Amino acid sequence: MNLEATTLRVGFVSLGCPKASTDAEHILTRLRAEGYEVAPNYDGADLVIVNTCGFIDAAVEESLDAIGEALNENGKVIVTGCLGAKKDAAGKGIVEQVHPKVLAVTGPHATEEVMSAVHQYVPKPHDPFSDLVPPQGVRLTPDHFAYLKISEGCNHRCTFCIIPSLRGDLVSRPIHEVMQEAESLVKAGVNELLVISQDTSAYGVDVKYRTGFWQGVRSGRGFTNCVRRFPNWMSGFVCITSIRIRAWMTSSP
């Protein structure tokens, strides 16, 4: 049996900020976990996913151009990311108006929706004996560092910013999920974690700093508390002398 002939391949174009990159990593991880290969070019892809940015006009233009190129070169395109959530004054999607031939459009942090569209157009059953993915998932960063997203969205409504309309309100990840991902990354050889979110300093506000647990240790969910405990938690499972943790303190001006 020719396994090569039955392997389905998905092309991937990712644009935008580090938060969009982590969305791309989650989708790529799911694709690999389910047995899809990532195609290096349009010709070898059964379908192409374009992860877009819609923050400024130049980013919108770049994303629309990337979608158009994928349609011209491949023809089967799923669009995700911030531009997918952007609408005009009449409430109509920008992407659908400019490129009506795309197969599906989703907003940001929409892994499940993207995978549902992939399953619809190029279904591939999971084979646990041949579909192998490293524990840390598929990453777009170099081996020595990785982004660690701790929350999505923002509760502020600054008149000059459209981020809440694209990425939604603040949603903090449970502390055990953050630490499990950090553990997998460090075990894979990462020695610098860049903690990111749209409003890093607001981590935990949406759940009123509800207590979380990691390896039996109780902790509040505030960002300062989380980062303060990182080195102590890491020392329990990492055979290295140190790990650098940097926080991108993005917040409302």
Side-chain angles (χ1 to χ4, degrees):
M1 179 179 178
N2 185 357
L3 293 177
E4 187 70 18
T6 63
T7 301
L8 294 175
R9 295 178 172 83
V10 177
F12 206 101
V13 178
S14 186
L15 306 171
C17 65
K19 292 177 287 295
S21 294
T22 61
D23 290 345
E25 292 174 342
H26 293 159
I27 295 170
L28 287 166
T29 298
R30 282 287 299 277
L31 288 169
R32 290 292 292 117
E34 295 186 16
Y36 295 92
E37 293 291 337
V38 179
N41 52 55
Y42 293 123
D43 294 336
D46 297 285
L47 177 148
V48 177
I49 299 172
V50 180
N51 187 25
T52 61
C53 179
F55 188 50
I56 59 176
D57 290 344
V60 171
E61 182 178 355
E62 180 184 22
S63 294
L64 291 174
D65 288 346
I67 295 168
E69 179 180 319
L71 283 169
N72 291 333
E73 297 293 330
N74 183 275
K76 299 177 69 175
V77 178
I78 293 173
V79 176
T80 187
C82 286
L83 185 58
K86 194 168 187 177
K87 302 182 184 303
D88 63 12
K92 297 181 179 179
I94 301 295
V95 173
E96 293 91 338
Q97 292 185 72
V98 179
H99 297 296
K101 293 184 179 181
V102 296
L103 301 177
V105 179
T106 80
H109 52 93
T111 301
E112 295 302 326
E113 290 90 337
V114 171
M115 292 307 301
S116 293
V118 171
H119 295 155
Q120 179 180 350
Y121 294 102
V122 283
K124 171 69 166 63
H126 173 64
D127 183 357
F129 295 102
S130 60
D131 302 339
L132 304 178
V133 178
Q136 73 274 16
V138 177
R139 294 190 291 113
L140 303 179
T141 54
D143 292 341
H144 70 283
F145 83 90
Y147 295 114
L148 180 64
K149 184 162 59 173
I150 63 174
S151 66
E152 267 294 353
C154 180
N155 285 342
H156 297 286
R157 295 297 183 267
C158 302
T159 56
F160 56 83
C161 182
I162 63 171
I163 287 297
S165 66
L166 298 179
R167 305 192 77 89
D169 291 331
L170 175 69
V171 179
S172 300
R173 294 179 63 192
I175 188 63
H176 71 274
E177 288 187 6
V178 174
M179 294 308 303
Q180 283 173 357
E181 183 175 352
E183 179 181 23
S184 295
L185 291 169
V186 175
K187 284 184 175 179
V190 170
N191 54 40
E192 182 172 351
L193 292 176
L194 281 72
V195 179
I196 61 171
S197 67
Q198 192 58 48
D199 189 356
T200 309
S201 59
Y203 175 73
V205 169
D206 54 315
V207 292
K208 299 181 180 179
Y209 304 109
R210 183 173 61 226
T211 298
F213 293 87
W214 169 248
Q215 294 183 342
V217 179
R218 180 178 178 178
S219 173
R221 208 171 181 179
F223 175 72
T224 303
N225 190 306
C226 177
V227 172
R228 184 186 300 121
R229 289 182 176 271
F230 257 120
N232 293 332
W233 279 329
M234 293 296 177
S235 64
F237 57 77
V238 184
C239 297
I240 56 177
T241 57
S242 64
I243 180 170
R244 287 183 291 177
I245 303 169
R246 299 184 179 182
W248 288 14
M249 293 298 292
T250 51
S251 61
S252 177

